[in-house]
Amino acid sequence: MVEEKGMGKVVFTVFIVILLAFLFFHFYKVNAIEKQYKASMKTVTAQLKEANNEINALKGEIDVLRYKLQIAGIINDVAQNNFGIAQEKVNNLVKKLENEGNKNIDEIKKIQEELQSLFSKKDNNKIIEKLGVLQKTIEK
């Protein structure tokens, strides 16, 4: 009976040692997986930030292209001597730029005032030249 109690203690001790080994291995693996997860999250976050920066840059380029297209339409109206329509389009464009908070809005408004006087004089060449200056100011 004493041998059985001694044998039971040995089996219990071996069981506890094996259990502790499994527990240690489990914590080791969980820690390794957590480190790998954190590293992959940093990578994904950096890639996402870079993609968002590229998207914002592309949105800015798209806006500039839209403004160029609007100015081209205004030039077309001026070429067809539709000064009233062209003047209205310029005013709408400036309002849109002002609402969007364009950084060069003061310069744009000065150009708008110069265009207003040119529209009243109906000078196609000077209007088209000023529209080119407007376009360059928007692109800044």
Side-chain angles (χ1 to χ4, degrees):
M1 183 111 169
V2 175
E3 273 183 34
E4 287 180 15
K5 283 186 178 180
M7 188 64 131
K9 286 183 180 180
V10 169
V11 169
F12 180 72
T13 305
V14 169
F15 176 75
I16 295 296
V17 168
I18 291 173
L19 187 63
L20 288 174
F22 278 129
L23 190 61
F24 175 76
F25 180 72
H26 173 72
F27 285 130
Y28 175 76
K29 276 302 217 184
V30 167
N31 191 26
I33 291 171
E34 183 181 10
K35 285 181 183 177
Q36 183 181 4
Y37 172 76
K38 286 181 180 179
S40 64
M41 284 304 296
K42 284 182 183 178
T43 303
V44 168
T45 302
Q47 289 173 343
L48 185 60
K49 190 179 276 187
E50 183 179 327
N52 283 336
N53 290 339
E54 289 177 13
I55 288 170
N56 289 335
L58 289 173
K59 283 181 181 178
E61 289 178 24
I62 288 171
D63 287 342
V64 168
L65 290 174
R66 283 185 181 151
Y67 297 137
K68 283 183 176 182
L69 186 59
Q70 287 178 343
I71 291 174
I74 295 168
I75 291 172
N76 187 35
D77 288 334
V78 169
Q80 294 176 2
N81 293 326
N82 295 329
F83 296 106
I85 294 171
Q87 185 174 7
E88 187 177 315
K89 286 182 178 180
V90 167
N91 293 338
N92 289 336
L93 177 62
V94 171
K95 282 180 189 176
K96 183 178 180 181
L97 291 168
E98 186 175 18
N99 289 339
E100 291 176 357
N102 189 292
K103 60 186 175 192
N104 299 324
I105 195 66
D106 293 332
E107 292 178 54
I108 291 170
K109 285 191 173 196
K110 288 178 186 175
I111 295 170
Q112 179 188 21
E113 290 172 9
E114 292 172 13
L115 280 168
Q116 299 299 333
S117 65
L118 291 173
F119 279 127
S120 63
K121 295 176 185 175
K122 298 182 179 182
D123 189 350
N124 291 16
N125 293 330
K126 288 185 180 180
I127 293 172
I128 291 172
E129 183 181 318
K130 268 301 171 194
L131 288 170
V133 172
L134 177 64
Q135 179 176 326
K136 288 179 184 176
T137 305
I138 292 172
E139 291 175 8
K140 286 183 191 176

